[in-house]
Amino acid sequence: MTADQPHILLLAGTFEARVLAKKLQERFRAVRQTASFAGAVKDLPDLGVPTRIGGFGGIEGLRQYLQTEKVSLIIDATHPFAAQMSWNAFHAAEREDVAILRLERPAWQQAPNDLWNPVASMDNAADAIPDGARAFLAVGRKEIATFYRRGDIIGTARMIEPPPVPLPDHWSLVLARPPQSAEEEVELFKERGITHVVTKNSGGTRAYAKIEAARQMQLPVIIVDRPELPSTDTAATVNDVLDWTDKSLNT
Ligand code: NAP
């Protein structure tokens, strides 16, 4: 493969990126592909393509990478709350004149009997939890420390790997990967006496069960709105990304 051949950079770290990596290989077997992980969690899946791990070093670091590795297409399949990476990719792609598409799962929408309290940030979510609540915190290991100032609540925090700073002593940690079923979530919420659910509006199906469980139990959900993302072209499904890739490689 020569340096002038196309090279797809897949910004990964989501379930959709895993599915996409497999399909990209099936459909564009002859095209060079590289997947990229932040390295935030230790147990990374094997995407079956050459993989690099760790930050690029901001916009300038990514520009350098795009040049050195002669990247011709970027597919940003990061999580909707990984806004820094999406902004960096947007600016670097623009400056290096590299085509870019973001795979963006639609946000969850409130159903008529959902008791949602939408908030703009993790900090606002921490403020919105009533005194003495028993809160289920599904906010990720990077964000959980924002809630530690709420020593008056009893938190049950669920994440994939333990947080960098341990939880307050009277809280509990549940280590688990999605997906869970709504039945499992109901059982967990009952067992822990949960009164409030706190979550990001991640969208997609794999983390939705907690929203269904909260609806069934009529629990209030403090839901953090998505951060502002760049005006990159987006696709909502893996198939749409494949079609875009096809077109981009042939123009
Ligand atoms: P972030 O705040 O947007 O990014 C922070 C920095 O991490 C970026 O500036 C970049 O460092 C590096 N980075 C992020 N994603 C990267 C990737 N795919 N490849 C290489 N470097 C990457 O991101 P985050 O919220 O920490 O998320 C990190 C990873 O976890 C992402 O892959 C994301 O898809 C995944 N994830 C995040 C969430 C969430 O709720 N935030 C949930 C599930 C999965 P440099 O500036 O040095 O390039």
Side-chain angles (χ1 to χ4, degrees):
M1 193 167 283
T2 72
D4 292 321
Q5 285 185 300
H7 180 191
I8 300 171
L9 173 64
L10 173 65
L11 300 174
T14 55
F15 176 72
E16 288 80 0
R18 248 151 84 183
V19 175
L20 185 56
K22 188 164 178 285
K23 297 215 166 176
L24 280 168
Q25 287 156 65
E26 282 167 10
R27 186 141 155 198
F28 307 104
R29 205 164 285 280
V31 176
R32 183 181 172 201
Q33 301 173 34
T34 304
S36 176
F37 287 106
V41 292
K42 289 189 203 93
D43 187 13
L44 292 171
D46 178 5
L47 297 187
V49 274
T51 297
R52 61 165 303 290
I53 299 170
F56 295 94
I59 299 170
E60 289 312 312
L62 180 53
R63 286 183 70 182
Q64 190 60 53
Y65 179 88
L66 299 177
Q67 284 173 23
T68 311
E69 299 299 327
K70 302 205 181 317
V71 171
S72 38
L73 300 182
I74 302 176
I75 299 171
D76 175 4
T78 58
H79 191 273
F81 278 72
Q84 186 64 57
M85 187 68 249
S86 290
W87 278 102
N88 290 356
F90 171 76
H91 289 303
E94 191 176 48
R95 288 174 207 171
E96 294 303 319
D97 199 19
V98 169
I100 180 167
L101 184 76
R102 190 171 69 241
L103 173 58
E104 188 171 296
R105 35 167 124 140
W108 294 322
Q109 301 298 321
Q110 185 171 10
N113 49 350
D114 280 335
L115 305 175
W116 280 16
N117 175 10
V119 293
S121 66
M122 289 291 166
D123 216 31
N124 293 355
D127 289 338
I129 304 171
D131 295 350
R134 297 182 75 94
F136 178 71
L137 303 164
V139 295
R141 61 196 287 277
K142 204 174 114 179
E143 305 283 4
I144 191 68
T146 308
F147 296 82
Y148 292 178
R149 63 183 165 82
R150 293 300 311 273
D152 62 300
I153 66 167
I154 297 181
T156 296
R158 185 171 66 202
M159 55 196 75
I160 294 172
E161 288 180 3
V165 182
L167 300 181
D169 284 345
H170 62 296
W171 290 19
S172 54
L173 181 63
V174 177
L175 295 178
R177 274 184 190 279
Q180 286 80 25
S181 68
E183 292 71 29
E184 285 167 336
E185 300 291 55
V186 167
E187 200 177 312
L188 178 70
F189 294 173
K190 282 188 178 158
E191 186 187 293
R192 308 282 168 137
I194 298 301
T195 59
H196 291 75
V197 172
V198 184
T199 180
K200 299 175 257 202
N201 191 336
S202 296
T205 53
R206 286 174 64 84
Y208 190 64
K210 57 182 171 283
I211 302 284
E212 288 180 287
R215 184 183 308 137
Q216 279 179 34
M217 294 172 70
Q218 286 293 281
L219 296 179
V221 178
I222 297 164
I223 185 158
V224 183
D225 288 334
R226 291 178 171 195
E228 192 187 344
L229 293 170
S231 58
T232 315
D233 287 341
T234 58
T237 67
V238 165
N239 281 342
D240 289 345
V241 176
L242 295 174
D243 289 346
W244 175 86
T245 307
D246 203 15
K247 272 192 210 125
S248 304
L249 291 172
N250 291 303
T251 50

